[in-house]
Amino acid sequence: MKRNWLYVLLCMAVVSGLLLSACASPEPTVVPEEPVEEPVEEPVEEPVEEPTEEPTEEPTEEPVEEPAERKVATFIWIQEFDTLNPFYTGMWFSSITQQLWNCWAWDFDEVNNPRPVLVTELPSLDNGGISEDGTVITLDLRDDIVWSDGTPITSADFVFTYEMVIDPANAVASAYPYSEMVSVEGPDPQTVVVTFDEPFASWQATLFTGLMPKHVLQPVYDAEGSIDNAPWNLAPTVGCGPFVFDEWESGSFARFLANDEYWLGRPMLDEIFMRFVPDDAAQVAALLAGDGDLGTFMAYSDVPALEDAGIDVIAVPSGYNEGWFFRVDELGHPALEDVRVRQAIAMGFDRFAINEDLLLGLTEPAVTFWDKTPYANPSLAAWPYDPERAAALLDEAGWVDTTGDGIRDKDGVSLVLNHGTNIRAIRQDVQAVAQQQLLEIGIQLELFSYASDIYFAAYGEGGVRYTGELDIFEYSATTEYPDPDTSRFRCDQIPTPDKPDGNNDMGLCDEELDELFKLQTVQVDFAERQQTFWEISERMFENVYWLGIWQDPDLFAIGPRIRNAKLSGAAPFFNIAEWDM
């Protein structure tokens, strides 16, 4: 029998969403037609000397050419950006937006094959772009690439980007992989030389997936000693993608206009208008009403209604998996330092019911951080729902209910955990289900939810995931897709006041795991690297450092007006310049 309370939760969410969807929002820019001025017939003066009036010729009315209708695509975003600087964010909505206005050295097509963008060709051993020992990678830049203000893009921009990322004065989200480099040099305007100590296996997925304009940011850095507060971070009016940032009204919308200076040719669309809405329900309502051309990151439960309305919903594998991250250092609850408690949580939370009831059986619990890739250990299976075994593990760990209030405790500390996520309906539904199920085994969850810009803020911005306010936090994350590398579980990625960059929000430092992560970065042989990742995924699974909730490919809803849209899991909007209406 399906759980009635889950059904009630869903109904409440739908009703709430329908109410919110009635709110008005700003409209995309509309260029008014020029008024057509009617020709005025001049009076004809009659000649005095002639007895008869000569016939006058009627003026010919010139045809007026109507202006072409502007092509404006409206994207519906359920999360507003925290920043637009590619190196100051880990938020997915900010990251995918960067492909509109920023540029990569190379990107990936719809089957995740790399293709050159700023470079003439991808570096390889055959073309001399990779040294024999694999430690030096040389990029040959195109000679026609320019920023949107017409300034040439040169090796100086690459060197500047590297220097800004590794400078501790700049509170970037993470300096990885630039922190692994020995140097980045520009011997001439069209050549960039990147040097590592050892071969770096994930270079193709991580090198220069974004660029900062030296001519814009160098003066800010010279004046302030940092680019943390540079206006460009929030208003990058100079970019290098097919579109250019125009306007961002917080809480309402953002606008990007066609880049007339784009070296690959002006895009087919004139404008991309992004409307920010509060939740999934408002997004779906906008798409069903025809008020949006594209939406993404909707809940699986919304897919049938969208498809019934003739909207294409496309699942794009991107390496993402929804999961729980556990704060396992001294900033978290002391119970979470015990692996038995984390295992008890895994078995006391019915993730199978979540996938079946809330997600309509369209996905399944993620087992590892690398599900649906060759790097997921095939011998592992999802933790079963077994509340009796979970309770026994908690007893074994010394967490028992000594006060009779239903909440376990130990040494005077109650087993009350702070659980947080952003304001997204499906995640708040999960919170409610988990709270009830874990209470049955004596664990109380205190639930918190935050606006996305606060929840996903980096350490340097005081992000709540880094401060110790939360013991468990839920979101969807991926690797350096399509590469399996990730730095978020490494010891050197734990940020500190002296070293604010780093994306390890768990405080996790497992030295054995750390060595495995370091080993895979230098393994260029696929079979050897795959084996290392199987060891990594097994160790993470057994220790429950991360608990998968569901496999989470990107879901894109594309309305009927959009033409020629292709999507990539690694670079979603790689062909946005070719989209048409």
Side-chain angles (χ1 to χ4, degrees):
M1 178 182 294
K2 298 291 186 185
R3 293 160 177 75
N4 292 331
W5 45 267
L6 287 175
Y7 178 78
V8 172
L9 280 173
L10 286 174
C11 290
M12 293 175 65
V14 169
V15 172
S16 174
L18 291 174
L19 292 173
L20 286 170
S21 66
C23 298
S25 300
E27 294 298 324
T29 301
V30 177
V31 178
E33 295 184 2
E34 292 293 329
V36 180
E37 187 174 307
E38 295 293 333
V40 178
E41 184 175 340
E42 294 291 334
V44 179
E45 188 176 310
E46 293 187 5
V48 175
E49 299 180 355
E50 295 293 330
T52 306
E53 180 177 334
E54 292 290 330
T56 58
E57 186 174 330
E58 291 294 325
T60 302
E61 190 172 296
E62 293 292 330
V64 178
E65 185 177 335
E66 295 291 334
E69 184 178 352
R70 295 179 75 253
K71 297 178 180 180
V72 180
T74 299
F75 291 5
I76 308 297
W77 257 211
I78 62 169
Q79 291 179 22
E80 185 173 3
F81 327 124
D82 50 354
T83 178
L84 285 171
N85 188 316
F87 300 95
Y88 278 75
T89 183
M91 183 194 287
W92 186 73
F93 278 87
S94 179
S95 297
I96 64 172
T97 300
Q98 291 158 21
Q99 282 199 301
L100 304 181
W101 64 272
N102 204 272
C103 54
W104 297 4
W106 47 82
D107 60 16
F108 298 84
D109 64 17
E110 67 270 30
V111 292
N112 295 323
N113 288 326
R115 58 173 208 164
V117 179
L118 298 177
V119 296
T120 59
E121 59 183 345
L122 263 77
S124 68
L125 284 170
D126 291 340
N127 63 26
I130 301 178
S131 64
E132 289 294 331
D133 64 358
T135 63
V136 180
I137 299 174
T138 302
L139 315 184
D140 291 325
L141 305 182
R142 294 172 54 138
D143 59 8
D144 59 348
I145 50 180
V146 295
W147 294 98
S148 57
D149 62 0
T151 303
I153 298 173
T154 70
S155 59
D157 294 301
F158 287 77
V159 174
F160 177 78
T161 298
Y162 163 73
E163 291 174 343
M164 291 300 98
V165 172
I166 65 169
D167 190 329
N170 298 320
V172 297
S174 173
Y176 188 86
Y178 301 89
S179 56
E180 308 298 301
M181 302 173 186
V182 174
S183 65
V184 175
E185 300 172 300
D188 62 61
Q190 264 66 56
T191 306
V192 180
V193 180
V194 180
T195 303
F196 293 90
D197 272 330
E198 299 178 279
F200 187 66
S202 64
W203 66 271
Q204 199 172 86
T206 56
L207 289 192
F208 295 109
T209 53
L211 205 60
M212 290 190 271
K214 180 177 181 178
H215 69 290
V216 173
L217 293 175
Q218 183 75 63
V220 177
Y221 181 77
D222 291 343
E224 302 181 12
S226 170
I227 60 169
D228 284 356
N229 299 314
W232 187 86
N233 296 342
L234 299 179
T237 51
V238 175
C240 52
F243 293 86
V244 181
F245 170 85
D246 178 65
E247 185 180 5
W248 174 7
E249 184 174 310
S250 183
S252 185
F253 68 91
R255 193 192 316 277
F256 298 84
L257 305 180
N259 178 5
D260 293 326
E261 297 291 332
Y262 190 50
W263 64 89
L264 292 177
R266 188 185 189 278
M268 303 295 290
L269 299 176
D270 296 300
E271 176 183 331
I272 293 179
F273 181 85
M274 291 183 172
R275 176 176 294 143
F276 305 129
V277 297
D279 53 32
D280 293 10
Q283 175 182 231
V284 171
L287 292 169
L288 293 177
D291 295 332
D293 298 297
L294 180 138
T296 187
F297 214 60
M298 68 283 300
Y300 278 92
S301 54
D302 293 321
V303 172
L306 292 167
E307 291 183 333
D308 288 346
I311 296 170
D312 288 335
V313 179
I314 303 171
V316 183
S318 56
Y320 274 92
N321 292 290
E322 184 87 4
W324 282 7
F325 296 81
F326 296 90
R327 188 82 206 195
V328 295
D329 64 356
E330 66 281 357
L331 293 181
H333 193 286
L336 294 180
E337 296 182 38
D338 191 325
V339 65
R340 293 168 295 185
V341 174
R342 301 194 299 271
Q343 290 175 343
I345 290 172
M347 288 188 284
F349 175 28
D350 191 353
R351 295 165 296 129
F352 299 91
I354 291 291
N355 281 267
E356 183 65 28
D357 297 340
L358 294 183
L359 304 176
L360 308 184
L362 297 175
T363 185
E364 58 186 320
V367 181
T368 78
F369 204 71
W370 294 268
D371 272 20
K372 299 296 185 183
T373 77
Y375 301 95
N377 191 322
S379 69
L380 302 175
W383 286 96
Y385 178 53
D386 189 344
E388 292 184 5
R389 174 61 180 148
L393 279 173
L394 292 172
D395 289 339
E396 182 183 318
W399 291 91
V400 295
D401 180 11
T402 63
T403 62
D405 62 357
I407 309 301
R408 294 173 182 267
D409 57 89
K410 180 180 180 180
D411 300 330
V413 179
S414 294
L415 191 43
V416 178
L417 306 175
N418 292 338
H419 185 288
T421 188
N422 67 328
I423 300 174
R424 189 183 177 210
I426 186 64
R427 288 176 178 156
Q428 292 176 324
D429 290 346
V430 170
Q431 280 188 315
V433 173
Q435 184 183 54
Q436 179 169 334
Q437 291 180 341
L438 293 182
L439 187 60
E440 293 174 3
I441 61 171
I443 299 175
Q444 180 174 322
L445 292 186
E446 295 287 346
L447 306 183
F448 298 86
S449 57
Y450 305 85
S452 294
D453 58 338
I454 297 174
Y455 183 66
F456 290 109
Y459 175 86
E461 300 171 317
V464 294
R465 293 176 296 117
Y466 295 92
T467 58
E469 296 177 45
L470 300 174
D471 302 307
I472 306 173
F473 27 96
E474 177 181 339
Y475 58 93
S476 187
T478 187
T479 66
E480 301 287 358
Y481 193 81
D483 192 88
D485 189 21
T486 179
S487 61
R488 67 172 58 248
F489 304 111
R490 288 176 47 159
C491 298
D492 60 6
Q493 286 297 302
I494 301 174
T496 65
D498 296 330
K499 183 182 172 296
D501 70 278
N503 58 356
N504 185 337
D505 50 15
M506 307 162 62
L508 170 64
C509 186
D510 178 330
E511 292 183 2
E512 183 175 333
L513 184 66
D514 211 48
E515 290 304 313
L516 290 171
F517 271 115
K518 291 177 181 177
L519 175 62
Q520 62 82 23
T521 64
V522 300
Q523 291 179 311
V524 294
D525 179 82
F526 171 80
E528 291 180 358
R529 197 172 185 222
Q530 181 188 52
Q531 186 60 44
T532 299
F533 270 105
W534 286 4
E535 293 181 48
I536 288 172
S537 55
E538 182 175 10
R539 185 166 183 82
M540 287 185 59
F541 177 85
E542 294 296 339
N543 284 280
V544 198
Y545 291 137
W546 176 85
L547 179 64
I549 310 299
W550 66 77
Q551 295 170 351
D552 196 23
D554 300 341
L555 291 182
F556 286 93
I558 301 179
R561 298 201 307 162
I562 296 296
R563 297 288 182 271
N564 199 36
K566 298 177 183 178
L567 298 163
S568 164
F573 298 136
F574 76 96
N575 85 319
I576 191 69
E578 300 165 23
W579 288 29
D580 205 350
M581 300 180 70

